Amino acid sequence: MAVNLDKEAYYRRIKRLYSNWKKGEDEFGKVDAIVVSVGVDEEIVYAKSTAIQTWLFGYELTDTIMVFCDTKILFLASKKKVDFLKQVAVTKGNENANGVPPITLLTREKNESNKANFDKMIEAIRGSKEGKTVGVFSKDKFPGEYMKSWNDTITAEGLEKVDISAVVAYTMAVKEDGELSLMKKAAAITSEVYSKFFKERVMEIVDADEKVRHSKLAESVEKAIEEKKYLGGADPSTVEMCYPPIIQSGGNYSLKFSVVSDKNHMHFGAITCAMGIRYKSYCSNLVRTLMVDPSQEMQDNYNFLLLVEEELLKELKHGVKICDAYNKVLEYVKKEKSDLVAKLTKNLGFAMGIEFREGSLVLNAKNQYKLKKGMVLSISLGLSDLLNKDGKKEEQKYALFIGDTVQINEEEVATILTPAKKKIKNVGIFLKNDDEEDEEEDGDDAEELLGKGARSAALLADRTRVRVDNEMTAEEKRRAHQKELANSLNEEARRRLTEQKGEQQIQKARKSNVSYKNVSQMPREKDIRDMKIFIDKKYETVVMPVFGIATPFHIATIKNISMSVEGDYTYLRINFYVPGSSLGRQEGNIFPNPDATFVKEITYRASNLKAPGDTSVPSTNLQNAFRIIKEVQKRYKTREAEEKEKEGIVKQDSLVINLNRSNPKLKDLYIRPNIAQKRMQGSLEAHTNGFRFTSVRGDKVDILYNNIKHAIFQPCDGEMIIVLHFHLKNAIMFGKRRHTDVQFYTEVGEITTDLGKHQHMHDRDDLYAEQMEREMRHKLKSAFKNFIEKVETLTKEELEFEVPFRDLGFQGAPYRSTCLLQPTSSSLVNVTEWPPFVVTLDEVELVHFERVQFHLKNFDVVIVYKDYNKKVTMINAVPVNSLDPIKEWLNSCDIKYTEGVQSLNWTKIMKTIVDDPEGFFEQGGWSFLDPDSEGSGAEEDSESEMEDETFNPSADEEEEEEEDSDEDYSSETEDSDYSASLGSEEESGKDWDELEEEARKADRESHYEDEDTSNRKRKVPPPAPPSKKKRRA
């Protein structure tokens, strides 16, 4: 059989069963053998017989009889089930090691009475202990001839039956870690369905004043679990309802889990909802009461019920008797609100697991069983038959019902596994009538003094005035907020720099390039004795004759070499690095002893003529030396470059591979930067602690979750690629280079267009291609979103993917080309162009806008980081119409911004700050970027500055003006002419710029409407039909 059985779990659990049996407590002490027989009955959902099978094997085995004897175990089942059970039966002599009796498998005979098999089992029962009594589950009665003949056989043998349901339930009640994780998942799914579906649906019904039957609403909840978005990444085939959801309102309440939702319409008073979801055979339960416009008395009663639940959770601990916990809660209710004791539910919950309700472990006043760590209970507390005098006739009688799935701990308070919120602010829906609103607005005597028309006109004017005032205060608020940020900015920066003052940067010592540590390492070659140039490849050293002495020079000291032939001689010139010569951009001028005497260059000359008796031409040595020095130099520089790349690389943890085939996986992706010269496809798979990208060639790139600073998902709306981008905390190595940005993408359409097609725009092929591209975009977006949801569930939300807000995006050139920069919740990014641009907002100190002038179409954005040693980031050529939206966004992110008309030398500014931070802040810190004063004087200053700038343009502006096309210039002049004429005629209305902007916006919205509406979160609900009720809180 292809199905696998968890052997370890089976041995652990059968051991626990036998251990409790041998202790002989309660009914276990009365039985000589245990018999579990399971037939076929689709109507039975919960039965102890099927539960113990699921507990032991992970599956229900129909038409199977299990007999547990003192020294052996017998299973009678069909051939397929016997093959499945062989996994634990064939143990190769490990019976004693596992501590459980050996298993005998009997194959059921379909056409016969199975008398021979029954006889073997009866014989085993007779041989077990005294052989007189058998433990059975008396409530489990399965139909069919097979089960009947077996029960008749037991009766005929005169064996006494003892019900062991309670003791077996107590054995199974303590959950292992694996079982607890399944129950936690089940509880989480229940909470998701309640919060995201049921609660939202009830609020819609209340808002729209709909008439919906309880039974219909319950059915819609059952259908909701078929949708993946409510299941937190779980497979819908593993999820089912524990029982049909129970929804009650309008005075008819029965606070039990055995009732069903009736067909009455839902009333807007107290709405109780009970629902439980079963995940991989393990149950969970959740009960909540939603209240519409609750009176103060209702709120007080509800808050008291929450306090009672808290009291119960405190009592539910390891070793406490169930009856004692119940009685203490009852005493608390008597003490605080004695009139509600009679209204309280008769029991406060029950144990739960594979079976939804364990009848022997109910929380009531009689139960003597002790709670144990690892048990999971469904607690449910209710107050029924309460009266609300202010409510409508059907809503005067109400009930309150709350419940959760909880886990018992050793000493701590029981843990709630269902996180759905239940405070009054989360379950109360408060409504407000239009009449009340009008009364509040018109509290004065306006009604008496004004007629209806005049009154509405006055109200309209009042509303208009308020709206203008609000717009004005929004700008003022922004300025005030920026002023607060400016004050806190300098204080925070000063404090940070003071803390960093003590941390001195340790400069890494440069590796000393010594050729030979002692004379013994010098090679004993013939060329050295003959005073020729010799290259020692092992030690990367060139041994040269200097004044008749063989002198070694390490390859690192050689700057360059050149060879030339002049007449009969060959010249080899060797230049060395010396103080004063550049070592490269980042090498610096590093010499251990710069005051020593250095050799700057050496030139060797050799004849090209072969003398009589010579074996070779003398210049051959120089030619070979030239070639070999070049090779060794190249090899050395390559190795040094690789080592430099590896410098500062933080050693990552190893990727823990999850061998489960159901890992989240995306196929046919490209990686950037490329692993090899040519781009290659591959697949990205999420494992236990990180991602692994495997190319078709077999190259592997691992990215660990704990090394990801930003995970960005760029959808394909308005883009030609769909991207998953990872901005890393520490760089990783692949392709012999270090990378802090890695992205995986796939193309969603033709990036290049064939202009030679010459086809009509309404050609069928083109329309079909467009349709196919739309479908491809939708399909890819769904696949990527599904992958992201699974990864976020796998990492327990520790890794969250950010989606850029396209509406807040603006054009700019952080590198050479212009691209769309888009904010996310914690960064500013562009990940569609390469190289990518990612700025973490938490690392930004302030943002300065340069070249903000009336006559310029563009300005520059400078991002200054909190780490003043880090180079500032420049974004050039940002359109001036993006200035206000960028300011608004930065203000909402609590980031200080400033603006000026000049371009500043930021390298010099940052160096000055780093060299003397105290002096910088004593002189006012970053306030030098703000305008000196406000008012008319400042305006005049700015105007004169603008004039100066106009007459004395900087090099940057000259370049920009040269780049501007004739079209730009003509459009600019036309705009200015038009605005002048408009002003002279004193006409009112929108100008062309505003109209064009509106048209562009309308086009953009209609273009992305199909793709965006389904995925974007609705911030503003659609206009509902006029209603007498409005949401207040």
Side-chain angles (χ1 to χ4, degrees):
M1 198 169 180
V3 183
N4 288 326
L5 192 155
D6 188 344
K7 296 180 195 176
E8 294 301 319
Y10 166 78
Y11 289 130
R12 276 197 313 274
R13 293 168 188 177
I14 200 76
K15 215 175 190 177
R16 195 200 298 178
L17 182 68
Y18 267 85
S19 171
N20 286 4
W21 183 17
K22 283 175 183 174
K23 285 178 188 173
E25 293 174 0
D26 301 319
E27 284 80 9
F28 268 142
K30 301 174 186 175
V31 299
D32 300 319
I34 298 170
V35 174
V36 180
S37 52
V38 178
V40 180
D41 189 351
E42 291 182 1
E43 290 182 8
I44 295 176
V45 180
Y46 302 110
K48 193 68 75 239
S49 308
T50 54
I52 197 169
Q53 285 186 346
T54 307
W55 186 60
L56 291 172
F57 311 119
Y59 298 93
E60 288 182 15
L61 306 175
T62 53
D63 285 338
T64 301
I65 299 169
M66 303 188 292
V67 177
F68 301 97
C69 300
D70 190 25
T71 55
K72 59 181 168 181
I73 300 171
L74 289 85
F75 294 151
L76 173 61
S78 63
K79 189 176 182 305
K80 276 190 177 181
K81 295 185 184 76
V82 165
D83 291 341
F84 169 69
L85 292 167
K86 276 179 183 175
Q87 295 176 73
V88 287
V90 182
T91 54
K92 297 182 182 177
N94 285 341
E95 290 85 355
N96 295 330
N98 293 318
V100 293
I103 296 170
T104 305
L105 296 175
L106 304 172
T107 306
R108 179 185 164 201
E109 298 157 4
K110 286 186 180 179
N111 301 326
E112 296 181 22
S113 62
N114 285 290
K115 189 175 183 307
N117 288 329
F118 288 171
D119 289 345
K120 285 178 187 176
M121 289 194 290
I122 294 295
E123 185 185 336
I125 292 169
R126 291 289 186 199
S128 176
K129 295 188 179 180
E130 295 180 14
K132 293 178 181 177
T133 56
V134 290
V136 295
F137 303 128
S138 55
K139 284 187 180 177
D140 295 358
K141 291 174 182 175
F142 290 91
E145 283 296 318
Y146 179 48
M147 287 293 114
K148 186 175 181 297
S149 58
W150 167 242
N151 289 327
D152 291 346
T153 305
I154 292 178
T155 309
E157 289 292 327
L159 295 168
E160 186 188 341
K161 293 180 182 177
V162 176
D163 186 14
I164 56 165
S165 300
V167 284
V168 170
Y170 196 58
T171 302
M172 293 164 59
V174 178
K175 305 293 182 286
E176 297 172 352
D177 289 344
E179 293 177 287
L180 285 173
S181 64
L182 291 174
M183 296 194 79
K184 283 175 185 174
K185 179 71 175 173
I189 295 170
T190 308
S191 301
E192 285 280 294
V193 173
Y194 163 77
S195 302
K196 292 186 178 177
F197 178 79
F198 176 77
K199 188 179 169 187
E200 291 295 320
R201 180 72 186 107
V202 169
M203 289 170 83
E204 283 174 16
I205 292 167
V206 172
D207 274 345
D209 210 357
E210 290 181 49
K211 285 191 178 276
V212 179
R213 297 182 190 277
H214 295 139
S215 53
K216 286 287 180 189
L217 190 53
E219 283 173 21
S220 68
V221 174
E222 288 192 75
K223 284 179 183 173
I225 67 166
E226 295 170 11
E227 296 184 44
K228 277 193 175 182
K229 62 181 175 182
Y230 301 121
L231 304 185
D235 183 358
S237 63
T238 60
V239 177
E240 58 183 324
M241 299 301 296
C242 295
Y243 56 91
I246 303 165
I247 298 158
Q248 302 174 95
S249 69
N252 298 320
Y253 300 95
S254 176
L255 307 186
K256 298 176 182 177
F257 297 103
S258 53
V259 297
V260 293
S261 302
D262 58 33
K263 292 186 178 179
N264 295 331
H265 288 109
M266 190 175 83
H267 286 277
F268 302 160
I271 305 159
T272 65
C273 167
M275 64 173 74
I277 282 175
R278 201 178 189 201
Y279 175 64
K280 292 186 178 178
S281 301
Y282 283 86
C283 300
S284 64
N285 198 26
L286 176 74
V287 185
R288 291 289 182 267
T289 302
L290 295 173
M291 293 173 285
V292 181
D293 263 345
S295 64
Q296 191 55 48
E297 188 187 356
M298 280 179 79
Q299 293 182 46
D300 293 343
N301 286 337
Y302 183 81
N303 285 329
F304 176 69
L305 194 61
L306 292 181
L307 293 173
V308 175
E309 187 188 27
E310 282 180 27
E311 199 63 29
L312 176 60
L313 291 172
K314 288 176 191 172
E315 299 300 331
L316 298 177
K317 289 179 185 174
H318 177 79
V320 175
K321 278 189 180 180
I322 289 174
C323 56
D324 292 347
Y326 177 86
N327 289 328
K328 284 196 177 177
V329 171
L330 208 61
E331 283 171 21
Y332 174 80
V333 177
K334 282 178 185 174
K335 181 184 170 186
E336 298 294 328
K337 285 197 176 185
S338 55
D339 56 317
L340 293 179
V341 173
K343 315 279 188 186
L344 193 68
T345 43
K346 299 305 172 206
N347 67 63
L348 304 180
F350 42 80
M352 187 167 58
I354 296 169
E355 287 187 275
F356 173 67
R357 184 179 186 274
E358 185 42 68
S360 60
L361 292 171
V362 175
L363 274 66
N364 58 26
K366 298 175 183 176
N367 202 320
Q368 296 295 314
Y369 279 110
K370 286 184 179 179
L371 295 169
K372 288 189 176 181
K373 182 188 174 185
M375 282 185 175
V376 176
L377 308 179
S378 166
I379 59 168
S380 50
L381 305 90
L383 296 170
S384 54
D385 297 329
L386 298 169
L387 290 175
N388 176 22
K389 295 171 186 175
D390 302 332
K392 295 177 185 175
K393 187 179 178 183
E394 309 87 18
E395 296 164 12
Q396 281 187 348
K397 189 178 175 185
Y398 72 96
L400 301 173
F401 201 19
I402 57 169
D404 287 287
T405 303
V406 302
Q407 177 188 333
I408 305 299
N409 299 317
E410 186 87 41
E411 293 292 334
E412 298 168 5
V413 177
T415 307
I416 295 178
L417 304 181
T418 39
K421 295 175 182 176
K422 53 180 179 285
K423 287 186 179 177
I424 194 77
K425 65 180 181 182
N426 305 117
V427 297
I429 303 168
F430 297 87
L431 304 172
K432 193 173 181 182
N433 291 333
D434 283 344
D435 300 337
E436 290 173 20
E437 284 182 2
D438 291 341
E439 283 169 19
E440 287 175 15
E441 287 175 5
D442 309 330
D444 53 8
D445 298 331
E447 289 185 22
E448 295 173 14
L449 299 171
L450 297 168
K452 192 173 181 183
R455 186 168 67 250
S456 59
L459 285 171
L460 181 65
D462 184 52
R463 284 174 188 164
T464 311
R465 188 177 67 252
V466 169
R467 191 184 62 176
V468 172
D469 288 347
N470 286 343
E471 284 175 6
M472 288 170 66
T473 53
E475 175 62 27
E476 286 167 9
K477 278 179 187 174
R478 195 165 77 185
R479 286 180 188 166
H481 187 220
Q482 283 297 311
K483 200 171 273 186
E484 288 171 18
L485 289 174
N487 296 334
S488 60
L489 174 69
N490 284 331
E491 291 170 17
E492 179 66 25
R494 187 194 286 253
R495 185 186 59 76
R496 194 172 61 246
L497 287 171
T498 308
E499 287 173 4
Q500 291 174 356
K501 197 174 178 183
E503 301 171 13
Q504 292 183 349
Q505 288 189 344
I506 300 165
Q507 192 170 2
K508 195 177 177 184
R510 186 171 167 81
K511 190 168 63 177
S512 178
N513 295 312
V514 178
S515 297
Y516 305 112
K517 290 181 180 176
N518 51 55
V519 183
S520 60
Q521 290 180 332
M522 278 278 283
R524 305 280 185 265
E525 295 290 332
K526 186 177 181 297
D527 281 356
I528 294 175
R529 289 197 299 273
D530 294 346
M531 288 294 126
K532 291 183 179 179
I533 297 174
F534 174 74
I535 293 90
D536 185 355
K537 290 184 181 179
K538 182 182 176 184
Y539 289 98
E540 294 177 329
T541 296
V542 181
V543 182
M544 309 178 200
V546 178
F547 299 119
I549 300 168
T551 310
F553 289 86
H554 193 274
I555 199 75
T557 62
I558 297 174
K559 187 177 181 182
N560 53 48
I561 59 171
S562 61
M563 191 175 69
S564 60
V565 178
E566 295 179 14
D568 293 339
Y569 295 97
T570 296
Y571 293 85
L572 179 67
R573 180 177 174 178
I574 303 172
N575 294 318
F576 296 93
Y577 285 115
V578 294
S581 66
S582 61
L583 292 174
R585 264 188 301 178
Q586 295 170 351
E587 292 291 332
N589 203 358
I590 303 166
F591 290 94
N593 185 8
D595 296 330
T597 304
F598 288 82
V599 178
K600 189 174 183 182
E601 65 176 71
I602 296 177
T603 304
Y604 291 95
R605 186 183 77 167
S607 173
N608 292 336
L609 302 173
K610 188 176 177 182
D614 286 349
T615 54
S616 61
V617 177
S619 61
T620 307
N621 175 248
L622 295 186
Q623 290 167 0
N624 289 339
F626 177 78
R627 179 177 53 82
I628 298 169
I629 288 171
K630 283 280 188 189
E631 284 176 16
V632 174
Q633 208 172 22
K634 186 180 177 183
R635 193 172 63 197
Y636 173 78
K637 282 179 178 175
T638 306
R639 195 181 72 247
E640 282 289 297
E642 285 180 15
E643 284 179 8
K644 194 173 178 186
E645 286 288 330
K646 288 177 184 174
E647 262 180 32
I649 290 283
V650 177
K651 191 172 186 294
Q652 302 291 318
D653 299 332
S654 299
L655 183 72
V656 179
I657 300 293
N658 187 355
L659 298 173
N660 191 349
R661 286 187 179 179
S662 62
N663 287 342
K665 191 172 186 178
L666 280 175
K667 294 180 179 177
D668 302 328
L669 299 180
Y670 295 107
I671 185 173
R672 279 202 295 204
N674 295 332
I675 299 173
Q677 287 182 342
K678 194 177 180 184
R679 69 174 190 167
M680 283 183 292
Q681 280 190 326
S683 60
L684 182 68
E685 191 169 1
H687 291 282
T688 307
N689 66 334
F691 296 101
R692 168 164 283 182
F693 175 79
T694 311
S695 71
V696 288
R697 199 176 69 175
D699 304 286
K700 289 181 174 62
V701 176
D702 294 343
I703 300 171
L704 301 185
Y705 300 139
N706 60 12
N707 190 33
I708 295 173
K709 195 176 197 176
H710 297 291
I712 296 153
F713 167 51
Q714 174 68 62
C716 48
D717 304 330
E719 303 288 352
M720 298 306 289
I721 57 174
I722 185 166
V723 182
L724 286 182
H725 184 93
F726 299 110
H727 183 66
L728 308 178
K729 295 174 187 172
N730 300 307
I732 59 170
M733 287 285 293
F734 65 87
K736 295 185 179 179
R737 285 181 160 270
R738 54 191 291 171
H739 305 284
T740 49
D741 285 284
V742 185
Q743 66 176 223
F744 305 95
Y745 71 97
T746 188
E747 294 170 1
V748 292
E750 291 181 9
I751 289 180
T752 56
T753 306
D754 185 0
L755 297 175
K757 278 185 175 178
H758 299 300
Q759 290 177 343
H760 194 264
M761 64 178 287
H762 297 299
D763 192 348
R764 280 188 183 179
D765 288 348
D766 279 1
L767 292 172
Y768 178 71
E770 284 180 19
Q771 179 66 24
M772 288 298 290
E773 187 178 316
R774 270 197 295 273
E775 287 175 10
M776 171 67 80
R777 282 174 181 271
H778 183 69
K779 191 177 175 184
L780 281 171
K781 203 191 289 185
S782 301
F784 272 70
K785 282 194 170 181
N786 189 28
F787 174 79
I788 287 166
E789 284 171 9
K790 285 182 178 177
V791 170
E792 287 180 344
T793 306
L794 179 70
T795 58
K796 296 175 182 172
E797 307 292 336
E798 284 178 18
L799 178 68
E800 287 189 17
F801 282 83
E802 303 171 40
V803 180
F805 303 116
R806 193 177 182 85
D807 291 344
L808 297 177
F810 58 91
Q811 296 290 334
Y815 302 115
R816 291 183 180 180
S817 60
T818 302
C819 57
L820 180 67
L821 300 165
Q822 302 173 71
T824 72
S825 54
S826 64
S827 58
L828 176 67
V829 302
N830 171 267
V831 295
T832 51
E833 305 284 334
W834 197 261
F837 177 82
V838 181
V839 170
T840 306
L841 297 182
D842 287 343
E843 295 174 0
V844 174
E845 181 84 307
L846 66 92
V847 175
H848 182 66
F849 305 124
E850 293 185 338
R851 299 190 307 108
V852 180
Q853 297 185 51
F854 178 72
H855 65 282
L856 291 179
K857 287 188 170 184
N858 300 324
F859 66 96
D860 301 333
V861 177
V862 179
I863 298 171
V864 181
Y865 296 98
K866 290 176 181 175
D867 179 4
Y868 291 166
N869 293 307
K870 191 174 178 182
K871 191 180 175 184
V872 299
T873 298
M874 297 276 292
I875 303 171
N876 299 316
V878 180
V880 78
N881 59 2
S882 299
L883 183 60
D884 275 343
I886 294 172
K887 284 182 179 177
E888 192 60 46
W889 165 63
L890 290 172
N891 193 54
S892 68
C893 297
D894 292 338
I895 294 173
K896 169 70 180 161
Y897 63 78
T898 55
E899 62 180 81
V901 294
Q902 294 177 335
S903 295
L904 302 174
N905 187 342
W906 284 97
T907 310
K908 200 171 179 181
I909 290 170
M910 298 313 292
K911 189 176 185 302
T912 308
I913 297 170
V914 171
D915 290 346
D916 183 17
E918 290 179 5
F920 172 69
F921 288 110
E922 279 171 13
Q923 292 170 11
W926 291 107
S927 58
F928 81 92
L929 292 172
D930 286 321
D932 293 333
S933 59
E934 294 177 5
S936 59
E939 285 174 16
E940 286 170 16
D941 291 347
S942 63
E943 280 175 18
S944 62
E945 281 172 13
M946 281 159 53
E947 284 170 14
D948 291 342
E949 289 292 331
T950 310
F951 288 108
N952 301 306
S954 65
D956 293 343
E957 287 165 21
E958 283 175 4
E959 286 172 14
E960 188 176 328
E961 284 171 12
E962 284 170 14
E963 287 169 6
D964 285 343
S965 63
D966 294 337
E967 288 177 9
D968 289 343
Y969 180 76
S970 61
S971 64
E972 190 177 10
T973 52
E974 283 168 16
D975 287 348
S976 61
D977 291 344
Y978 174 76
S979 60
S981 65
L982 187 68
S984 62
E985 290 172 11
E986 295 183 357
E987 290 179 3
S988 61
K990 295 180 180 177
D991 62 24
W992 285 111
D993 286 345
E994 290 175 350
L995 291 168
E996 283 174 2
E997 183 59 32
E998 282 181 11
R1000 272 198 295 274
K1001 191 173 180 182
D1003 288 346
R1004 190 164 65 243
E1005 285 173 358
S1006 63
H1007 186 263
Y1008 298 127
E1009 193 175 16
D1010 294 337
E1011 295 173 3
D1012 286 0
T1013 48
S1014 60
N1015 299 314
R1016 193 182 299 156
K1017 290 182 179 176
R1018 285 190 305 164
K1019 292 184 180 175
V1020 182
S1027 172
K1028 287 188 179 180
K1029 297 177 181 177
K1030 293 181 183 177
R1031 288 276 302 285
R1032 186 179 70 194

